[in-house]
Amino acid sequence: MSTRKKLYAGTLAVLLGGATIFNAGVTKGEAEANTENTYLVIFKDQQGLPAGYAEAIKKAGGQVEDRLDKLGAVEVTSKNANFLNDVKKSSLVLEAGVENTVYPEQTIEGETVAVEDLTEGADFYNQYMWDIKQVTNNGESWNLPGGTGLSVDGEDIVVGVIDTGIDYNHPDLKDNYAGGKSFVPGYSDPIDQNSHGTHVAGSIAAKGEALGVGPDLKVASYRVFGPTGGAATSHIAEALMTAADDNVDVVNMSLGGYDWFQDPAYATKDIVADVQLFNRAIQYAIKKGVTVVGSAGNNAVDLSSPGKLSGDDTGATHRSPSSQTMIRVSAGGALKNLAFYSNYGVGKIDVMAPGGDLGPNYDPVTRTGRDNSYLAYSTVPVLDPDTKEVIGHGYGGKGGTSMAAPKTAALAGVVIAKHGKDKLTPAQVKAIIQNSAEDLFKPGYDEQTGHGLINAVNALKLK
């Protein structure tokens, strides 16, 4: 089996009983004759849809399903097997391809405890949340200006969570919830019916039994995933664009997969349009002053060698969504080690943050020595196993770069809070986080931690 197929099938996952630690985004495949396929069409004009775009789509046998006006792109369905070739004949079109499906990253799962089942007098934060202590120096950063997320100018600092939604009725999150929107067809409520997004939100801004890195930050839900399944690239791009238009300060994207650039002699470059749209959405947000944070992925692979990732296949495999203008985060453990599942790579990692693992005695090959106390614990909904409806609120342990990225997003939020809303550019926020990181492993930049392990105290003290 080729390396690319292993990435998609998940055979590179280290076996963890019934749990896997990653899920790669996969394409819907090449267009098939006589079936309706979904495409992305990217126009040359990035600022809007050009005059005549609808006629160009119609002429190629397509129907516009969704317009991303501010990104110069449309989602199209067509039964024309030659749609891509036909639409690319238009002088308006930069690129077109089959639309990709992205999935929330699968994580190591620990047990869930309902709020009402917590032992009376239990100190959840001190017992379980080593990761928040690691970032905040045992809460020392909360005593510094902006350290809890309260801005010096009194403005709310909002972190947008593009994910499975947020359990906005959770007692540790409801006071810091800034609203939300759903981009999932058939689901209008930005509630979390999975647990991934609520865990992410708690790492950022929980304030109760659990505490986030910035317990006075606000979180907004931009739901792109339903109870199961993935999300179309256009929906994620639209969520990012909307978050930017809503004037959030930071966006966390703990999601992603791998885009395989195929040999042009073998098939059309299906993924180029997908990457173009992600890049436009990321740049749109950054130009509007949003710091964008993304997880590096959980395949334990070197992202700096796209050719090697493709293995026997011709072409190159890339992590997506990804961009050098984002803050890209690898995952560490309680012992300040690189988590065994974390991706890495020179030029592909900016910083490391605690994402949790299974302890120093865990053997990924034999699956022995597991210690769940080394996972990252945070807020989760309690879900009905059949309907996936939220029936309660609780806490759970997870491990993944999905758990590392939101701590970095929260750190971006408290850095902004120290200086005031809209006072720093995303590049300045990124520089502060990188320059204040704790240097581990090799001196200076390295492929595992980037510039180092994030540290809120250092970041807030940096002039």
Side-chain angles (χ1 to χ4, degrees), residues 193-253:
Q193 294 178 272
N194 174 288
S195 81
H196 192 277
T198 300
H199 196 286
V200 163
S203 296
I204 296 167
K207 191 174 185 180
E209 294 287 347
L211 293 170
V213 170
D216 288 316
L217 291 169
K218 304 300 180 186
V219 286
S221 174
Y222 294 88
R223 183 184 182 185
V224 294
F225 299 109
T228 59
T233 299
S234 60
H235 298 164
I236 297 172
E238 185 177 6
L240 180 53
M241 181 179 69
T242 302
D245 288 342
D246 289 344
N247 198 29
V248 305
D249 301 278
V250 185
V251 161
N252 185 83
M253 296 197 297

Side-chain angles (χ1 to χ4, degrees), residues 60-188:
Q63 177 175 323
V64 175
E65 299 294 338
D66 193 15
R67 304 189 318 171
L68 289 87
D69 304 56
K70 298 175 183 177
L71 302 179
V74 291
E75 182 186 48
V76 176
T77 55
S78 178
K79 291 184 178 180
N80 176 14
N82 294 316
F83 173 79
L84 290 180
N85 288 331
D86 291 344
V87 80
K88 287 179 182 179
K89 294 175 183 176
S90 170
S91 61
L92 302 175
V93 173
L94 175 68
E95 191 54 71
V98 176
E99 185 167 24
N100 194 15
T101 300
V102 176
Y103 293 85
E105 289 183 342
Q106 297 302 303
T107 56
I108 306 171
E109 298 291 324
E111 63 275 9
T112 295
V113 179
V115 170
E116 59 269 21
D117 292 336
L118 283 179
T119 305
E120 186 174 351
D123 188 339
F124 183 84
Y125 167 74
N126 275 314
Q127 185 174 348
Y128 290 101
M129 303 192 77
W130 61 267
D131 52 335
I132 305 301
K133 294 178 187 178
Q134 189 180 90
V135 175
T136 65
N137 282 13
N138 294 311
E140 182 184 346
S141 62
W142 297 332
N143 297 317
L144 298 173
T148 66
L150 285 176
S151 179
V152 293
D153 57 12
E155 297 283 341
D156 284 343
I157 305 302
V158 181
V159 180
V161 177
I162 297 180
D163 214 294
T164 62
I166 294 175
D167 176 9
Y168 47 74
N169 292 315
H170 195 292
D172 292 10
L173 291 172
K174 60 183 181 181
D175 290 341
N176 283 337
Y177 182 66
K181 298 171 182 175
S182 176
F183 300 84
V184 184
Y187 294 87
S188 60

